[in-house]
């Protein structure tokens, strides 16, 4: 069973560990650690921006959501590689949709590196639409879905 709850400060090391596990395979593709690998999860937790997904009491994934004027920014969602494919990411995305509705914002935005091809395939399967792709090298992709 997947339980979703706001993250507590005691969860910060687990979030950092999950981010490293989930993103480390991108380092060779983009030439540096992606931002989630070095993020300050304690600060996000203190700001009320982090939620975790626990399976059998163990943190298996998390999401970071930031309220912005007119939209909700999905800053990061990550699931332990060993726990992927069990619907944890989908549950976390559903939480983002619930939060967007509660905040009365019409869309969720996210950015993903163009080299993270798995993400580019994953998000459309969950209702997200690519809105643009900047032309500079190592660009990001912006996607949105109605909340």
């Amino acid at each position: 069973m997947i339980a979703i709850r706001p993250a507590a400060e005691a969860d910060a090391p687990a979030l950092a560990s999950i981010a490293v596990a989930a993103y480390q395979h991108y380092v060779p593709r983009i030439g540096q650690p992606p931002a989630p690998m070095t993020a300050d999860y304690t600060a996000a937790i203190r700001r009320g921006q982090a939620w975790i997904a626990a399976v059998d009491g163990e943190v298996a994934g998390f999401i970071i959501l930031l309220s912005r004027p007119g939209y909700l920014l999905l800053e990061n969602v990550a699931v332990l590689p060993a726990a992927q494919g069990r619907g944890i990411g989908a549950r976390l995305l559903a939480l983002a949709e619930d939060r967007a509705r509660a905040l009365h914002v019409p869309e969720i935005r996210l950015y993903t590196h163009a080299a993270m091809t798995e993400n580019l395939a994953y998000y459309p399967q969950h209702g997200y639409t690519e809105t643009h792709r900047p032309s500079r090298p190592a660009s990001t992709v912006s996607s949105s879905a109605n909340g």
Side-chain angles (χ1 to χ4, degrees):
M1 180 173 165
I2 303 167
I4 308 290
R5 65 166 171 79
E9 280 193 47
D11 296 318
L15 274 60
S17 178
I18 291 167
V20 168
Y23 287 94
Q24 66 186 355
H25 70 281
Y26 293 122
V27 173
R29 290 189 209 173
I30 64 175
Q32 64 187 22
M37 290 179 70
T38 59
D40 184 348
Y41 293 107
T42 299
I45 291 166
R46 287 181 181 154
R47 290 189 299 265
Q49 299 169 333
W51 286 261
I52 63 104
V55 177
D56 299 324
E58 297 294 322
V59 180
F62 69 90
I63 192 166
I64 308 293
L65 300 170
L66 288 68
S67 180
R68 297 289 188 246
Y71 66 95
L72 185 66
L73 177 63
L74 192 168
E75 185 176 76
N76 185 9
V77 61
V79 175
L80 280 172
Q84 292 175 2
R86 299 182 196 171
I88 297 167
R91 286 284 305 277
L92 290 165
L93 292 178
L95 169 73
E97 293 169 18
D98 291 344
R99 295 287 304 149
R101 278 191 290 278
L103 293 167
H104 304 287
V105 294
E107 72 178 339
I108 299 167
R109 294 183 188 173
L110 63 89
Y111 301 91
T112 190
H113 195 286
M116 296 180 178
T117 54
E118 298 88 343
N119 295 348
L120 298 177
Y122 179 81
Y123 291 117
Q125 296 171 8
H126 296 277
Y128 288 77
T129 304
E130 184 173 326
T131 59
H132 72 280
R133 195 177 288 217
S135 59
R136 66 185 192 275
S139 63
T140 58
V141 176
S142 173
S143 300
S144 65
N146 289 333

